[in-house]
Every structure is written in structure tokens, then in C-alpha cells.
């Protein structure tokens, strides 16, 4: 078995709220502050700890750049503002976030100990890219339709068909 700090009392052995019951001793760990867990739970614990320490070192204001898929951290909101200027409250990928007026592709969220915001942003960026490409295919198809209607030269029609094929191929690869 593996030992980790008790999740209920955060390894303190007591829960202040229950001080009136048995001195507040934690029932989960019997006051030891230690909890026995399986190997899987232990590695999850190490993983979370690693992430928590990273956040602590880097700062918990996480910034995602939708243009080049980069992540940046700031310790305070002031630090972020001095770098990117003022922001407004917006949303991205289903998360409310702060968007910078001068850099609309940069989204900021306060990290609460998970990677959810960044993952949601990445997902949204892909959807945006797909939609953009679908729009492009639609436009090309419109051009093709017009070219056929106007009895344009066969080469021009062929050229458009190739462009559409390429665009569809690109969409599949996103
Ligand atoms: Zn405990």
C-alpha cells in the first residue's frame, strides 16, 4: 500500500469544524493525517502534486493563445495587464475568461488546479479552424457552380474542382 496525506483533513489529522466532537479528530485517518491508497491513486496524487507545484511556481493566471497554441502563466492579474493591456470578460470553449482588447486571440483564466481550461481552448480552436475551412469549401463550391453556369473554360472548372478536393482533404486533417 501507498501513503498519501489524508484527503479529508489535508494531512492535519484534525478537522477544526468538528473540534467539539472528540477534539476534531479526523475519522477517515483516525487522526494520523495519513491515508492508505492503491498504486493508481498514489500516482494520481503525485500527478496532482506536480501540477499544483507547477502552478504555484508559475502563477495561477493562465493564458491561452488561440493563434499559436501556446500557454503562458502570470502570478498576478497586474502582470498580465502590463504585458497585454486591458481586458474584458468574455468566454471561450464554454469557459468564461478574460479577453484582451488589443489581443483578442489571447484568453486568460484563473487556474483552479486543473488543465480543463487549456483543453477546452484547444478543442475550441480546432472547431474554429474546421468552421473556417468549411466556409472556404462553401465559397469554392459557389464559384464552381457559377463557373459551370457561365460555361467557363474546362480548365478553370477543373482547377476549381481540384481546389475543392484539396480543401476537403485539409478539413479532414484538422
Ligand atoms: Zn484525516
Amino acid at each position: 500500500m501507498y501513503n498519501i496525506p489524508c484527503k479529508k483533513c489535508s494531512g492535519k489529522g484534525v478537522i477544526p469544524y468538528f473540534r467539539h466532537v472528540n477534539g476534531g479528530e479526523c475519522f477517515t485517518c483516525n487522526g494520523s493525517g495519513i491515508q492508505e491508497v492503491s498504486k493508481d491513486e498514489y500516482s494520481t496524487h503525485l500527478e496532482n502534486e506536480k501540477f499544483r507545484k507547477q502552478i504555484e511556481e508559475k502563477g495561477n493566471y493562465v493564458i491561452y493563445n488561440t493563434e499559436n497554441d501556446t500557454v503562458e502563466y502570470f502570478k498576478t492579474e497586474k502582470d498580465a495587464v502590463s504585458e497585454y493591456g486591458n481586458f474584458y470578460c468574455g468566454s471561450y470553449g464554454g469557459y468564461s475568461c478574460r479577453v484582451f482588447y488589443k489581443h483578442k486571440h489571447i484568453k486568460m483564466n484563473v487556474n483552479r488546479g486543473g488543465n480543463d481550461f487549456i483543453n477546452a481552448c484547444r478543442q475550441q480552436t480546432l472547431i474554429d479552424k474546421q468552421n473556417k475551412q468549411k466556409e472556404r469549401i462553401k465559397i469554392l463550391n459557389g464559384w464552381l457552380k457559377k463557373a459551370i453556369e457561365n460555361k467557363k473554360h474546362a480548365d478553370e472548372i477543373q482547377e476549381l474542382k481540384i481546389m475543392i478536393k484539396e480543401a476537403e482533404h485539409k478539413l479532414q486533417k484538422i
Side-chain angles (χ1 to χ4, degrees):
M1 286 306 250
Y2 296 82
N3 290 334
I4 63 167
C6 171
K7 283 183 204 165
K8 190 88 184 176
C9 63
S10 313
K12 291 186 191 83
V14 289
I15 299 172
Y17 184 74
F18 290 117
R19 193 142 280 169
H20 60 287
V21 188
N22 202 15
E25 191 182 282
C26 175
F27 296 128
T28 308
C29 62
N30 295 320
S32 68
I34 292 165
Q35 193 180 352
E36 277 192 2
V37 291
S38 69
K39 196 179 176 193
D40 277 355
E41 280 177 286
Y42 184 66
S43 33
T44 305
H45 165 73
L46 289 184
E47 208 43 48
N48 288 342
E49 274 300 288
K50 206 172 115 191
F51 192 74
R52 197 184 54 76
K53 276 204 184 108
Q54 265 178 9
I55 294 296
E56 218 173 66
E57 273 167 33
K58 290 178 191 163
N60 59 347
Y61 287 85
V62 60
I63 276 179
Y64 183 78
N65 185 330
T66 63
E67 260 179 9
N68 55 16
D69 184 29
T70 51
V71 180
E72 213 180 333
Y73 295 89
F74 287 97
K75 293 215 166 173
T76 66
E77 195 174 271
K78 221 175 135 194
D79 290 344
V81 168
S82 70
E83 180 74 27
Y84 294 115
N86 288 325
F87 58 77
Y88 60 91
C89 293
S91 72
Y92 195 68
Y95 278 77
S96 54
C97 62
R98 292 151 208 199
V99 184
F100 293 90
Y101 282 106
K102 283 186 193 153
H103 310 271
K104 295 232 161 72
H105 57 285
I106 293 178
K107 325 281 183 192
M108 180 165 79
N109 192 277
V110 184
N111 207 313
R112 290 183 184 86
N115 232 356
D116 300 357
F117 174 66
I118 297 164
N119 289 336
C121 281
R122 288 210 164 107
Q123 200 63 33
Q124 188 60 49
T125 312
L126 288 182
I127 293 168
D128 289 352
K129 267 188 199 157
Q130 284 167 348
N131 286 341
K132 220 172 164 183
Q133 190 64 7
K134 278 179 193 163
E135 196 53 41
R136 193 175 133 80
I137 292 168
K138 218 169 115 186
I139 290 167
L140 286 172
N141 273 313
W143 288 354
L144 177 65
K145 204 175 150 220
K146 262 202 187 123
I148 292 168
E149 275 169 10
N150 297 336
K151 296 190 168 49
K152 291 273 187 187
H153 200 273
D155 282 356
E156 199 176 316
I157 289 168
Q158 190 56 28
E159 180 77 14
L160 277 168
K161 279 183 178 165
I162 290 168
M163 277 168 82
I164 292 166
K165 268 239 165 70
E166 278 172 0
E168 276 168 351
H169 187 68
K170 218 171 146 190
L171 174 64
Q172 277 172 1
K173 283 210 283 188
I174 293 173

